[in-house]
Amino acid sequence: MKHLNILSLIVGACLTLSGAVSAADNRQNFNGSHCDPTYGSQTGDFIDQYNGIRNLSAGVRYVSCPLTVDEANVVTGINNLWVHLTGNGNFNCYLYSMNGNGTIRQSTFANRVNTGWLALPIINTDDFWGSYMMYCLLPGGATLNTVSMNERD
C-alpha cells in the first residue's frame, strides 16, 4: 500500500511538471506559405510551396505574414520570434504590434545575409484587441520557410 501511495505521488508530480513545461512553451509555428505577397501586383512573382513562400523574381519583394494571437488577455508581448529563410542576399523583417484601431503600438526590425534563422527583437507590449503583423523583404529566388513565435503567458 505504501508503494502504491508513493507511486501515485510520483505520477502526480510528473503530470504537474509536464503541464508546467508545456505551458511555458507558448509557441506557434507557421509554414512560410502562410504569408502572402504584400503588393497584389506582385502576386505572380511568388509561389507557395511545401517549404514556404518563394520569390520567383530576380528582384526583391515583400511578403506579409499575419501572426495568430492566442493569448489575448496577456498584453506583455512576445518572448521570441524567429524566421527561417533560404537563399542568397539581404533579408529584412519588420514586426509590428498593432492596436485594435490599426495603429502601431511597437515595432522591431532585424536583418541577416543568406540562409539561416533570423531572430527579431522582442515585443514587450501589445493591445488586448490588437494583433501582430510581420513584413519581410525577400531577395530574388529566396524562400521564407518558417515563422516561429513564442508569446508570453
Side-chain angles (χ1 to χ4, degrees), residues 48-142:
D48 286 328
Q49 303 178 137
Y50 68 94
N51 64 339
I53 186 168
R54 182 172 183 191
N55 176 2
L56 297 173
S57 77
V60 296
R61 299 287 187 265
Y62 274 103
V63 293
S64 55
C65 309
L67 304 174
T68 302
V69 175
D70 70 351
E71 293 293 333
N73 288 329
V74 180
V75 293
T76 54
I78 63 171
N79 289 320
N80 308 96
L81 189 129
W82 302 277
V83 181
H84 191 271
L85 304 148
T86 304
N88 296 313
N90 291 311
F91 294 94
N92 299 312
C93 290
Y94 305 83
L95 175 63
Y96 297 94
S97 173
M98 306 299 295
N99 290 314
N101 65 4
T103 58
I104 297 171
R105 186 176 191 90
Q106 185 181 358
S107 64
T108 63
F109 165 81
N111 67 329
R112 72 164 292 117
V113 178
N114 300 332
T115 297
W117 285 99
L118 171 66
L120 279 91
I122 65 168
I123 293 280
N124 55 28
T125 180
D126 55 39
D127 183 48
F128 181 82
W129 300 104
S131 60
Y132 299 116
M133 188 59 144
M134 184 180 70
Y135 296 91
C136 291
L137 184 63
L138 302 181

Side-chain angles (χ1 to χ4, degrees), residues 27-35 65-67 81-84 95 117 120 134 136 144-149:
R27 189 168 24 141
Q28 298 92 43
N29 295 326
F30 305 94
N31 184 284
S33 62
H34 177 73
C35 303
C65 309
L67 304 174
L81 189 129
W82 302 277
V83 181
H84 191 271
L95 175 63
W117 285 99
L120 279 91
M134 184 180 70
C136 291
L144 190 157
N145 307 108
T146 303
V147 178
S148 181
M149 179 177 73

Side-chain angles (χ1 to χ4, degrees), residues 13-46:
C14 289
L15 289 174
T16 301
L17 288 175
S18 69
V21 169
S22 65
D25 186 15
N26 187 11
R27 189 168 24 141
Q28 298 92 43
N29 295 326
F30 305 94
N31 184 284
S33 62
H34 177 73
C35 303
D36 293 312
T38 300
Y39 302 107
S41 62
Q42 296 176 350
T43 300
D45 292 342
F46 290 94

